[in-house]
Amino acid sequence: MKNKIMKLFVLLGMVVLTGGAVFCQDKLVSRNGSVSFFSKTSIENIEAHSQTAVSVLDKKTGKLEFSVLIKSFLFQKALMQEHFNENYLESDKFPKSTFKGRIDDLSKIDFSQDGNYTVSVSGLLTIHGETRPVTAPASFTVTNGSAMGQAEFNIMLSDYNISIPTLVKDKISRSVKISLNVKYDDLAKPQMN
Amino acid sequence: MKEWLKKYRLIGFAALISIPAVGIYGYQQFNRKPPDMHGLRSSYVIASEDLVSQFDADEKEASAKYSGKVITVVGNVGMVQSTDSSQTVFLNDGISASAVICHFQKNATDKKLMLLEGEKIRIKGVCSGYLMDVVLVRCVVENEK
């Protein structure tokens, strides 16, 4: 599956370079999507951000795929980042987190019409080698053929086999909020600003 | 009796010094911020196309070598994207489908990076791995030596 996704990305990239935009009119892509997670407890709030997520959205089928590198998440405190990578997410063993799914009610979005659309997204989320189905509301804002997607949902760390040591169990919430903010560009028109 | 007192006085004194020292060290470690990238030495200096080709050839091996490491990448600016809090610079050779994506946080750049397409640049950052492209975070521009 990974090889198929990689080949899709390479194919799409090659089509851009050769100017074959006809084949890419249905695809929107982002290579610097924003992903954040937030853990809130009475003792401490912990948050981390990555702005290097990759996502491809098929406007025709509603198919939506997302991938983010665990080591790209940045924390305010260095020790927290080290523990996150070495102990909790084991990023050397599981370097990426992925989502493969689709927009459930794609017909609600008119990509040719500027506007804000609220939809439901569902699919399979893989974190720390564990895969679980998720469904979440999302909003898409369409502007001049490009789209900005936003979503927020909660996950239980135990669902993804992420165990919290007893010593810090009061500092990290069992449920973590994940926020996504992705600006998609039409694959045929790379943006420069 | 006196020897007993001497022994426990010594232990008490050691505890009086070491417990606060350990506490201070623990506090500093807990609150330690990531180091300033400008002061860090790169483990590798590599051309962007070489880095991309190594990941294309064997992602697992390249990840083991570069992931999590501070590296300096030399390449040509392909594209720059900006948001309110960050800038992303794409280094590519114009031939391969993949690039080296260099992510700059707002506090690393006092002003917006003014880069021209095709401009040659040296960027130091921490390699996060490979998706469609090789990804570097916490990037800073490195001056020619």
Side-chain angles (χ1 to χ4, degrees):
Chain A
M1 187 59 191
K2 179 186 164 179
N3 284 336
K4 280 185 185 173
I5 294 168
M6 286 310 302
K7 281 178 184 171
L8 170 66
F9 285 157
V10 170
L11 174 65
L12 294 175
M14 285 170 64
V15 173
V16 170
L17 291 168
T18 57
V22 168
F23 298 106
C24 299
Q25 284 176 347
D26 296 330
K27 299 271 191 306
L28 294 176
V29 68
S30 173
R31 289 150 88 181
N32 55 356
S34 169
V35 184
S36 303
F37 67 80
F38 183 68
S39 159
K40 184 180 171 67
T41 66
S42 56
I43 295 176
E44 190 172 7
N45 293 338
I46 299 171
E47 60 183 303
H49 308 273
S50 168
Q51 289 185 290
T52 62
V54 164
S55 182
V56 178
L57 168 61
D58 189 322
K59 292 189 285 185
K60 200 171 178 182
T61 64
K63 195 174 172 188
L64 180 63
E65 296 199 357
F66 219 98
S67 192
V68 65
L69 292 162
I70 301 301
K71 286 187 180 175
S72 69
F73 281 96
L74 303 181
F75 291 72
Q76 293 275 24
K77 295 179 183 175
L79 193 64
M80 218 169 270
Q81 185 160 339
E82 287 160 21
H83 286 173
F84 174 76
N85 278 289
E86 289 165 20
N87 304 121
Y88 303 145
L89 275 289
E90 298 181 276
S91 56
D92 283 339
K93 261 171 45 183
F94 310 106
K96 302 172 194 179
S97 175
T98 60
F99 172 81
K100 288 172 189 156
R102 60 180 65 250
I103 299 170
D104 298 324
D105 37 6
L106 182 65
S107 57
K108 281 186 178 177
I109 305 177
D110 183 351
F111 287 101
S112 63
Q113 178 81 28
D114 288 1
N116 192 46
Y117 306 93
T118 302
V119 294
S120 170
V121 172
S122 59
L124 297 173
L125 176 64
T126 302
I127 302 174
H128 193 229
E130 296 290 326
T131 302
R132 294 281 183 275
V134 294
T135 299
S139 69
F140 283 88
T141 304
V142 176
T143 313
N144 294 330
S146 296
M148 169 86 81
Q150 291 173 299
E152 265 184 18
F153 58 96
N154 282 54
I155 61 162
M156 296 298 292
L157 296 180
S158 54
D159 285 348
Y160 298 92
N161 210 17
I162 299 167
S163 52
I164 309 299
T166 312
L167 197 62
V168 293
K169 67 178 177 63
D170 294 330
K171 291 188 177 183
I172 301 172
S173 172
R174 299 290 179 275
S175 170
V176 166
K177 183 173 85 173
I178 295 180
S179 304
L180 306 167
N181 200 319
V182 181
K183 185 173 181 295
Y184 291 95
D185 294 317
D186 191 327
L187 197 61
K189 298 184 290 182
Q191 301 295 315
M192 177 106 175
N193 58 5
Chain B
M1 175 76 173
K2 277 187 181 176
E3 275 186 25
W4 177 87
L5 199 62
K6 255 190 202 174
K7 182 183 171 184
Y8 279 96
R9 197 184 287 175
L10 202 62
I11 291 171
F13 181 73
L16 200 65
I17 300 293
S18 59
I19 289 173
V22 167
I24 290 168
Y25 175 77
Y27 178 81
Q28 284 178 334
Q29 279 300 301
F30 183 77
N31 290 299
R32 174 169 51 95
K33 296 210 183 309
D36 182 1
M37 287 297 294
H38 289 100
L40 292 180
R41 192 171 172 171
S42 298
S43 300
Y44 300 95
V45 179
I46 185 169
S48 62
E49 56 267 27
D50 290 339
L51 186 62
V52 167
S53 66
Q54 286 188 43
F55 272 94
D56 278 344
D58 190 331
E59 184 185 335
K60 202 171 177 181
E61 188 180 316
S63 284
K65 185 176 179 183
Y66 296 111
S67 198
K69 305 268 176 46
V70 176
I71 65 175
T72 293
V73 182
V74 183
N76 297 317
V77 175
M79 187 162 62
V80 179
Q81 290 183 340
S82 301
T83 66
D84 290 338
S85 58
S86 65
Q87 277 189 278
T88 305
V89 176
F90 293 69
L91 300 180
N92 58 22
D93 56 10
I95 300 169
S96 57
S98 299
V100 178
I101 296 185
C102 307
H103 181 72
F104 292 76
Q105 288 174 271
K106 192 179 181 184
N107 60 3
T109 56
D110 292 331
K111 51 187 178 182
K112 206 169 170 177
L113 289 170
M114 303 303 290
L115 298 173
L116 298 170
E117 190 176 338
E119 181 181 340
K120 192 167 181 181
I121 194 167
R122 288 170 68 98
I123 295 176
K124 178 166 60 176
V126 178
C127 181
S128 303
Y130 183 70
L131 293 172
M132 285 174 75
D133 313 276
V134 182
V135 177
L136 265 61
V137 295
R138 295 183 57 220
C139 291
V140 293
V141 174
E142 194 176 65
N143 295 322
E144 285 279 356
K145 290 178 184 170

